[in-house]
Amino acid sequence: YTRFWPILIVLYGLSKIIQRESVPQKMWGAFWVLVGGLWLLDRLDVIYFSIWSLWPLILVVIGARLIWGRSGRNGAGLGGVSSGGGDTSSTINALALLGGFKRSNDSQDFRGGEATAIMGGCEIDLRKASIKEGEAVLDLTAIMGGIEIWVPEDWKVTLMGVPLLGGFEDKTHPTGRESNKNLIVRGYAIMGGVEIKN
């Protein structure tokens, strides 16, 4: 069965294509379908494929993601560590590829965002942020990497993530008081991990 694990990457790519409305997100999903499909064919001895043979395409895809997402992206760690101070925007977007991303957000009208860690790590501190009304949604993807989210103690966390040979873990400590600030965490952990803490 270990020969078929690249199917998980294909499924991740398909989910991006189906769930997302924007063209860049669909292209990102198509890229992972391609990588997972080639990797699966290699594991089945149909073709020879090495992930490193796609490095020019990987650079193009990463560059396109950064350009298209420049208006909403708060940073990226590519092969190194990106860190910064507090951010006041209502959404946060992070990409860590073979590197690390560390950022805090103190928006008083936090609405969510997305973070992706591919063989890297993301650490996002939301302890000074607040959800004005309703809920905020974070889409998290960890592929052979890890994502750590710190939230305020008065936030309620709802995990809706799918672990595939990985894990989603809610390590927050409930205060016992009813909260109207709900953070919904969605996404995938493929041979990686996601932790929510307060």
Side-chain angles (χ1 to χ4, degrees):
Y1 293 107
T2 57
R3 301 173 68 187
F4 296 98
W5 70 262
I7 290 177
L8 301 177
I9 297 177
V10 174
L11 293 175
Y12 165 72
L14 289 174
S15 71
K16 284 282 189 184
I17 294 173
I18 294 170
Q19 295 176 2
R20 308 298 179 179
E21 297 180 359
S22 67
V23 173
Q25 290 289 350
K26 289 182 181 292
M27 289 180 62
W28 186 240
F31 169 76
W32 285 110
V33 169
L34 173 66
V35 170
L38 291 174
W39 218 331
L40 179 62
L41 292 175
D42 175 70
R43 303 285 289 181
L44 297 175
D45 296 323
V46 176
I47 63 170
Y48 169 76
F49 169 72
S50 170
I51 188 68
W52 303 114
S53 63
L54 286 181
W55 70 265
L57 179 59
I58 292 173
L59 292 178
V60 170
V61 171
I62 292 171
R65 256 181 78 88
L66 290 175
I67 292 171
W68 272 315
R70 181 61 63 187
S71 61
R73 182 166 300 286
N74 297 320
L78 309 175
V81 177
S82 173
S83 62
D87 180 34
T88 58
S89 62
S90 60
T91 60
I92 190 165
N93 292 283
L95 169 65
L97 176 63
L98 301 173
F101 177 91
K102 186 175 182 179
R103 186 63 57 88
S104 62
N105 183 292
D106 55 6
S107 170
Q108 297 307 295
D109 186 19
F110 185 73
R111 298 177 186 173
E114 67 177 82
T116 303
I118 302 170
M119 290 182 279
C122 285
E123 182 180 338
I124 301 173
D125 189 347
L126 301 172
R127 285 176 288 187
K128 294 182 180 178
S130 180
I131 299 173
K132 185 176 288 187
E133 51 184 60
E135 60 191 30
V137 179
L138 273 178
D139 287 302
L140 307 178
T141 302
I143 301 176
M144 291 182 279
I147 300 176
E148 187 176 65
I149 308 290
W150 291 87
V151 300
E153 292 185 353
D154 64 339
W155 285 16
K156 176 185 174 185
V157 175
T158 303
L159 283 185
M160 300 175 65
V162 179
L164 303 170
L165 301 178
F168 268 81
E169 193 169 358
D170 180 1
K171 292 187 174 180
T172 58
H173 303 287
T175 61
R177 299 188 302 269
E178 187 67 26
S179 175
N180 61 350
K181 300 176 181 179
N182 187 21
L183 177 67
I184 297 176
V185 179
R186 306 183 305 198
Y188 299 89
I190 303 173
M191 291 183 287
V194 174
E195 291 185 352
I196 315 296
K197 305 177 179 180
N198 61 7

